[in-house]
Amino acid sequence: MDLLIELKQKAVGSAGEASALPYSAYTSPEIYELERKRIFHGDWVFACNEFALKKPGDKFAFNLAGEPVVIIRGKDGELRALSNACRHRGTLLADDGFSSGNNNLVCPYHSWNYTEDGALRGVPFPGDVKIDKKAHCLPKFALSVWNGLVFVNIDGKAEPLEDRLAGIEQYVQYNKVGEFDSGYENESDHWDTNWKLAMENAMESYHLFKVHKPTLEVVTPTKGAFYIEGNAKWSVTAGETHSPMPKWLNWFYGTPKGNDHYILVSLPPSFVGVISSDGLFGYIAVLPEGPGRSYIRGGGVGRGISAPKGTVKKFVDDFFAEDKFICERAQKGMTTSTATGGQLVDLERIVVDFHQFLAMKLFNVQPDEVYKNNKAPERLALTEV
């Protein structure tokens, strides 16, 4: 069977009948190219948190599925997303990652320089050649901020982000997300795994009891996880946070109040976040670097927070290492041609939503309507949900 046809058939499956995607979808260059153009260049993609770019001249440069992008804080306080490739001969303007400095972007090759809004300021030694500055501006990309989180849309055709995420506000606002005033970004990592495997792993709690037995399973056990609401555009799950717990874990999961809970938010294609009872919104960002390699970065936003240190950092590093190991191991299994994906269980309903997102973006298939687990509010001790 043609891979595209098989992928479409698998991705449209509804909860209770859906199975895993064909394994070759995680290794195929053809599928990757389709995803790159229709998903990562045609939808809102999470980039970083706005608190990492506080001052004028602060920048974040990254590769969005083959498109060099730089986000810069202007003197007027606004964030802008621009092409990070010089209009002269394509050299990257800003270094990858976070940096600070003046608001100009200067090419390190021939010193063509641009303003914070992408206009060409000057060209050294043009000789008798007259440079049309208006024809050499940096392309601009759509940018939107949601609860301190910065998203970029390359083609500018995606529906407004606030419309896309309207249904999710009731859950994140319980923890007063709109009052966030600080954030941190961890160092990036690169995993030898397909981006879809990394996203599926980040969003589902089915694997906690096995992969994270010494870490996350201790405080957020698999048996306490449940689905709340969602469909292809966004999904919300939750789970119990066990107490008692070591005091140092209170920073990460919030101070326990009996049998507390966390909320997990999945915003495909690139963001999965966990909101704890104290309002910390920790997240993982996932971007593709090819069919079998992904860019991974963790971070968080909240009120008066800073990057984890000491024992807390070790805890976070440990479960990220566990995720990296299992995702890379899963990727190695995707080369088999003698087996097909099996049935998805109830705890993987959020993965079903993600697969329908793929079908919606790749094949223009209408996803299932938003599903709400009416039993979830009885188990979720959040009065404003």
Side-chain angles (χ1 to χ4, degrees):
M1 182 185 299
D2 179 86
L3 177 56
L4 287 175
I5 296 175
E6 185 181 6
L7 175 58
K8 181 179 179 180
Q9 290 179 348
K10 295 292 186 180
V12 299
S14 299
E17 62 182 35
S19 61
L21 300 179
Y23 295 156
S24 53
Y26 299 90
T27 61
S28 166
E30 177 187 12
I31 297 298
Y32 171 70
E33 281 302 310
L34 199 63
E35 293 168 344
R36 193 173 68 86
K37 295 175 182 178
R38 297 187 183 180
I39 294 177
F40 287 94
H41 291 180
D43 200 2
W44 290 107
V45 178
F46 174 68
C48 63
N49 75 70
E50 67 171 332
F51 306 112
L53 304 170
K54 292 182 177 180
K55 302 176 182 178
D58 284 353
K59 306 174 185 69
F60 175 58
F62 66 110
N63 189 293
L64 204 171
E67 184 64 49
V69 178
V70 59
I71 299 173
I72 183 170
R73 175 79 70 178
K75 293 178 181 178
D76 58 0
E78 294 297 315
L79 289 174
R80 296 175 177 83
L82 306 169
S83 171
N84 193 34
C86 181
R87 291 298 312 278
H88 179 213
R89 286 165 57 182
T91 305
L92 293 182
L93 298 169
D95 294 335
D96 283 348
F98 295 91
S99 62
S100 59
N102 61 47
N103 290 69
N104 296 331
L105 293 166
V106 181
C107 180
Y109 202 170
H110 301 98
S111 214
W112 283 38
N113 56 91
Y114 305 83
T115 66
E116 63 187 33
D117 61 358
L120 180 63
R121 291 183 70 249
V123 175
F125 308 112
D128 294 331
V129 175
K130 183 176 178 57
I131 304 296
D132 184 347
K133 290 186 177 181
K134 290 185 178 180
H136 290 81
C137 295
L138 298 176
K140 298 179 181 180
F141 307 125
L143 181 149
S144 188
V145 179
W146 178 77
N147 290 313
L149 306 171
V150 182
F151 292 78
V152 174
N153 173 219
I154 295 298
D155 69 8
K157 298 179 181 179
E159 67 177 309
L161 187 64
E162 58 270 24
D163 294 345
R164 163 87 171 267
L165 302 179
I168 211 169
E169 286 289 347
Q170 61 178 316
Y171 299 107
V172 298
Q173 287 306 317
Y174 168 82
N175 288 303
K176 300 181 180 179
V177 170
E179 299 178 7
F180 284 174
D181 58 12
S182 54
Y184 64 89
E185 295 280 356
N186 294 334
E187 292 184 6
S188 61
D189 196 4
H190 302 271
W191 296 3
D192 291 327
T193 191
N194 183 269
W195 72 275
K196 295 187 295 296
L197 283 177
M199 280 293 291
E200 291 167 354
N201 178 78
M203 66 180 64
E204 57 96 338
S205 300
Y206 186 29
H207 70 286
L208 300 184
F209 75 99
K210 183 66 174 178
V211 176
H212 299 297
K213 188 174 182 180
T215 55
L216 294 178
E217 176 67 12
V218 176
V219 290
T220 57
T222 294
K223 65 180 182 180
F226 53 97
Y227 188 93
I228 301 179
E229 184 175 4
N231 77 342
K233 294 184 177 182
W234 54 263
S235 300
V236 180
T237 64
E240 299 172 358
T241 299
H242 275 192
S243 60
M245 65 172 71
K247 292 182 179 180
W248 58 266
L249 277 180
N250 293 350
W251 184 94
F252 190 78
Y253 285 101
T255 303
K257 299 186 290 291
N259 206 18
D260 213 342
H261 295 81
Y262 66 87
I263 298 175
L264 183 145
V265 175
S266 174
L267 307 177
S270 59
F271 178 93
V272 176
V274 176
I275 308 173
S276 60
S277 60
D278 65 346
L280 174 65
F281 200 170
Y283 56 77
I284 181 173
V286 178
L287 290 174
E289 295 186 320
R293 189 168 169 82
S294 297
Y295 167 94
I296 307 293
R297 195 182 71 258
V301 291
R303 296 187 296 276
I305 67 165
S306 58
K309 298 177 182 179
T311 310
V312 177
K313 184 179 186 302
K314 183 181 184 305
F315 179 85
V316 175
D317 289 346
D318 284 349
F319 76 72
F320 263 80
E322 292 163 353
D323 280 331
K324 180 177 182 178
F325 171 81
I326 201 63
C327 287
E328 292 186 339
R329 185 175 179 127
Q331 183 68 30
K332 293 176 181 177
M334 296 298 102
T335 59
T336 181
S337 60
T338 60
T340 58
Q343 185 81 24
L344 298 179
V345 304
D346 188 55
L347 279 170
E348 296 169 298
R349 185 185 185 103
I350 193 170
V351 178
V352 176
D353 291 346
F354 176 60
H355 291 174
Q356 290 202 355
F357 166 82
L358 297 174
M360 178 178 69
K361 291 298 180 180
L362 297 179
F363 309 112
N364 199 30
V365 174
Q366 185 68 24
D368 291 344
E369 295 294 325
V370 173
Y371 169 79
K372 185 171 184 178
N373 180 6
N374 291 325
K375 296 181 180 180
E378 298 176 6
R379 300 176 61 191
L380 186 62
L382 302 179
T383 58
E384 295 185 20
V385 171

